[in-house]
């Protein structure tokens, strides 16, 4: 089907997870700019090959990491760069849902990382700008529908990313906590779909403040 799509200027690649890199590769070969869904496969080599094809052909390629448009996170990333929170020592990022749809557990369990494979990429994309250092080690902890990974970075920062497919709080339990040497930052939930503002809590000693976004 992808081969039959000719004479297009740009494409949104959103298909079954296992087919993403194969379909995206078709358009990379043809030099078609694309926005690609995530995650980009269980193996690195197909993804590296795709990116290299896009670079050689100067093909615009972006991945659907939805938190990049989050106003609260955009503010946090800027303030981290400015040193407002001091040195980042520890980050905990939590992304969950509670779909309870028939067959979902069997489907997500077919991937080596389970729900961590499907959602963890959003969290990695979120925390990398916070720590600003090379990854030293990653320790996955896969426990049924609750999956985690402990990440250690070269600058001494530690990160815990957590995902769950049956968390009672669902998307309202999604959370980001940052411990810096000057203050602690807490955003929960990370996103809302009810029109309410996002609330970012900043704690420094006995002083607390809350920002609305």
């Amino acid at each position: 089907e992808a081969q039959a799509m000719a004479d297009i200027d740009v494409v949104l690649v959103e298909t079954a997870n296992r087919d993403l890199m194969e379909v995206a590769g078709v358009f990379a070969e043809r030099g078609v700019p694309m926005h690609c869904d995530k995650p980009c496969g269980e193996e690195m080599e197909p993804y590296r090959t795709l990116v290299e094809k896009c670079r050689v052909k100067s093909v615009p390629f972006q991945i659907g990491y939805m938190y990049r448009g989050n106003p609260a996170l955009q503010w946090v990333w800027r303030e981290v760069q400015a040193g407002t929170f001091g040195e980042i020592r520890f980050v905990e990022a939590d992304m969950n849902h509670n779909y309870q749809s028939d067959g979902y557990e069997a489907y997500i369990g077919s991937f080596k990382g389970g729900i961590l494979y499907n959602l963890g990429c959003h969290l990695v994309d979120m925390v990398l700008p916070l720590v600003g250092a090379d990854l030293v080690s990653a320790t996955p902890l896969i426990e049924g529908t609750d999956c985690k990974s402990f990440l250690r970075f070269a600058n001494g920062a530690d990160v815990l990313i957590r995902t769950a497919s049956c968390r009672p709080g669902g998307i309202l339990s999604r959370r980001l906590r940052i411990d810096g040497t000057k203050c602690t930052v807490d955003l929960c939930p990370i996103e809302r779909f009810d029109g309410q503002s996002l609330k970012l809590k900043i704690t420094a000693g006995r002083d607390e403040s809350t920002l609305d976004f």
Side-chain angles (χ1 to χ4, degrees):
E1 184 176 346
Q3 294 284 4
M5 298 175 64
D7 300 324
I8 57 176
D9 297 319
V10 64
V11 66
L12 168 62
V13 181
E14 185 163 353
T15 184
N17 282 342
R18 298 189 190 281
D19 299 332
L20 279 170
M21 291 297 92
E22 180 180 353
V23 175
V26 172
F27 296 104
E29 288 282 1
R30 287 162 46 184
V32 179
M34 74 187 89
H35 174 95
C36 187
D37 194 15
K38 55 78 211 164
C40 293
E42 294 183 278
E43 305 295 336
M44 283 298 297
E45 200 53 42
Y47 173 70
R48 288 194 180 105
T49 300
L50 172 66
V51 171
E52 184 58 28
K53 286 181 181 178
C54 291
R55 284 176 175 160
V56 169
K57 294 178 177 288
S58 298
V59 177
F61 174 75
Q62 68 178 28
I63 303 173
Y65 292 131
M66 61 189 185
Y67 286 141
R68 293 186 182 185
N70 184 299
L73 286 169
Q74 290 175 343
W75 184 87
V76 166
W77 290 326
R78 288 195 299 268
E79 295 306 308
V80 166
Q81 290 295 317
T84 303
F85 310 146
E87 296 181 15
I88 306 303
R89 299 300 193 194
F90 183 76
V91 178
E92 181 175 355
D94 200 322
M95 187 175 183
N96 313 293
H97 62 62
N98 192 27
Y99 293 160
Q100 299 291 327
S101 58
D102 293 339
Y104 185 80
E105 297 305 322
Y107 162 73
I108 204 64
S110 68
F111 296 101
K112 287 182 286 188
I115 191 66
L116 185 62
Y117 167 74
N118 198 39
L119 297 182
C121 53
H122 286 299
L123 300 180
V124 171
D125 189 66
M126 179 196 304
V127 303
L128 286 180
L130 301 178
V131 295
D134 291 335
L135 180 68
V136 173
S137 64
T139 306
L141 304 166
I142 310 299
E143 301 170 356
T145 60
D146 195 338
C147 303
K148 300 173 283 291
S149 186
F150 183 78
L151 312 177
R152 175 150 286 176
F153 290 85
N155 61 356
D158 292 326
V159 174
L160 177 64
I161 60 174
R162 305 173 64 218
T163 59
S165 59
C166 291
R167 191 66 53 79
I171 61 174
L172 291 180
S173 66
R174 294 177 177 181
R175 184 182 208 116
L176 173 67
R177 175 190 168 104
I178 305 166
D179 290 334
T181 53
K182 294 182 179 179
C183 64
T184 293
V185 180
D186 194 10
L187 175 63
C188 184
I190 297 175
E191 56 190 322
R192 303 192 71 103
F193 300 94
D194 56 4
Q196 300 297 311
S197 63
L198 298 172
K199 295 188 178 297
L200 185 74
K201 181 179 178 181
I202 302 174
T203 304
R206 296 184 178 181
D207 297 326
E208 293 184 353
S209 60
T210 300
L211 301 178
D212 289 358
F213 292 87

